[in-house]
Amino acid sequence: MAKINYLKVNERYWDANSDLYHDAHPEHFDAGRHPSWGIWHLPESDLRIFTDELPPGSRILDLGCGIGHDTVGFARAGFRAFGVELSSGQLSHAITDGVGGFVQAAAERLPFRSETFDAAFCDHGAFDFSPPLPLLREAHRVLRPGGVLGLCTYSPLLQMCFDNRTGTVGEQLSNPYGDAKVKYSGDVVVFHSTHAQWINMFRSCGFSVERLVEPTAPAGGDTYFQESLDRSWAEKWPAEVLWKVRKI
């Protein structure tokens, strides 16, 4: 894995698959669903990671923004929102309504001055496809003192229940806890961490943990991702974790 340039691999993957991905997810173009969190599009208006404390006009950065559906959602909510995306294929679909701007760049090397943003977030973006430590260091650098970082990734429980033979999530533990921090399928490189690993990385990069949300799928709600996650599983157990941390 050390010899694989994960940024190049993932950039090629998203450049090649962005058209198919967004054809399969028209909900990303539905303004009424954003800003939201996770694969069930849980509304920010319910979770209130940012909106209770950030005044209108605050500068907010989307790390791994894709087409920018949540970037735009936060812009419509009154923030000065900016998006960073590795893939030009993803940005070719970008929704530009009201957004401060999009830039093609790796989230490990943000083209912004230090202490530029009041908040940053990642909803299954850069933190799914890059090692967390360099991303956390860069987020810490560009956030003002006291700035907030929100990020949503897949849960350690989902990773333990993922069956590599069938490519599905089941009701038995298939993998050791904390195993396979890096996975490479031949097409895309993804990264996973346990709760303890996240907390240690947050502390080492100068963040304090304020909230950990472990959302389950809303019973009877819509299903947006058909690939491998069974809704009945996700109604019983958390498929994702949502962290809110603050720059010390």
Side-chain angles (χ1 to χ4, degrees), residues 153-228:
T153 66
Y154 289 109
S155 71
L157 181 59
L158 181 144
Q159 304 304 331
M160 287 190 293
C161 292
F162 185 80
D163 189 326
N164 292 293
R165 296 168 300 172
T166 63
T168 60
V169 178
E171 297 194 1
Q172 293 184 334
L173 298 179
S174 301
N175 304 299
Y177 186 63
D179 191 34
K181 290 174 59 179
V182 183
K183 293 183 180 179
Y184 178 46
S185 66
D187 296 316
V188 65
V189 184
V190 294
F191 293 79
H192 307 298
S193 302
T194 67
H195 290 158
Q197 289 165 346
W198 277 117
I199 290 170
N200 289 336
M201 287 187 290
F202 290 140
R203 288 173 57 85
S204 70
C205 291
F207 290 98
S208 61
V209 177
E210 295 199 348
R211 285 179 66 187
L212 170 60
V213 183
E214 297 179 294
T216 53
D222 294 329
T223 298
Y224 305 104
F225 289 80
Q226 307 287 344
E227 289 86 349
S228 61

Side-chain angles (χ1 to χ4, degrees), residues 74-114:
F74 279 109
R76 290 172 178 155
F79 299 107
R80 296 180 63 195
F82 300 80
V84 170
E85 171 56 44
L86 179 66
S87 164
S88 61
Q90 291 282 68
L91 288 176
S92 70
H93 296 276
I95 308 168
T96 58
D97 182 21
V99 176
F102 290 109
V103 61
Q104 184 180 2
E108 292 89 336
R109 298 186 293 272
L110 295 172
F112 302 107
R113 289 179 295 183
S114 298

Side-chain angles (χ1 to χ4, degrees), residues 3-199:
K3 296 181 180 179
I4 295 173
N5 186 330
Y6 69 91
L7 287 173
K8 288 294 184 185
V9 169
N10 290 341
E11 183 179 6
R12 281 198 304 268
Y13 174 84
W14 284 110
D15 284 349
N17 290 281
S18 59
D19 290 346
L20 291 173
Y21 178 79
H22 294 296
D23 286 347
H25 295 285
E27 73 276 4
H28 289 167
F29 298 91
D30 181 355
R33 298 188 187 275
H34 309 291
S36 60
W37 297 92
I39 58 177
W40 313 110
H41 295 308
L42 303 175
E44 163 66 11
S45 57
D46 292 341
L47 292 174
R48 310 195 74 80
I49 301 300
F50 296 132
T51 47
D52 279 346
E53 65 173 88
L54 292 179
S58 297
R59 295 170 63 92
I60 188 168
L61 180 63
D62 188 348
L63 299 168
C65 63
I67 66 168
H69 46 284
D70 284 315
T71 323
V72 171
F74 279 109
R76 290 172 178 155
F79 299 107
R80 296 180 63 195
F82 300 80
V84 170
E85 171 56 44
L86 179 66
S87 164
S88 61
Q90 291 282 68
L91 288 176
S92 70
H93 296 276
I95 308 168
T96 58
D97 182 21
V99 176
F102 290 109
V103 61
Q104 184 180 2
E108 292 89 336
R109 298 186 293 272
L110 295 172
F112 302 107
R113 289 179 295 183
S114 298
E115 301 185 4
T116 298
F117 294 95
D118 302 293
F121 72 97
C122 177
D123 185 37
H124 288 291
F127 277 90
D128 277 0
F129 301 100
S130 289
L133 275 173
L135 299 184
L136 288 172
R137 293 186 185 114
E138 269 295 86
H140 188 275
R141 182 184 68 79
V142 301
L143 285 171
R144 63 169 176 77
V148 177
L149 172 66
L151 62 94
C152 184
T153 66
Y154 289 109
S155 71
L157 181 59
L158 181 144
Q159 304 304 331
M160 287 190 293
C161 292
F162 185 80
D163 189 326
N164 292 293
R165 296 168 300 172
T166 63
T168 60
V169 178
E171 297 194 1
Q172 293 184 334
L173 298 179
S174 301
N175 304 299
Y177 186 63
D179 191 34
K181 290 174 59 179
V182 183
K183 293 183 180 179
Y184 178 46
S185 66
D187 296 316
V188 65
V189 184
V190 294
F191 293 79
H192 307 298
S193 302
T194 67
H195 290 158
Q197 289 165 346
W198 277 117
I199 290 170

Side-chain angles (χ1 to χ4, degrees), residues 221-243:
D222 294 329
T223 298
Y224 305 104
F225 289 80
Q226 307 287 344
E227 289 86 349
S228 61
L229 183 58
D230 181 74
R231 169 173 267 281
S232 63
W233 188 99
E235 288 178 357
K236 291 182 286 187
W237 298 296
E240 303 169 288
V241 291
L242 174 57
W243 296 93

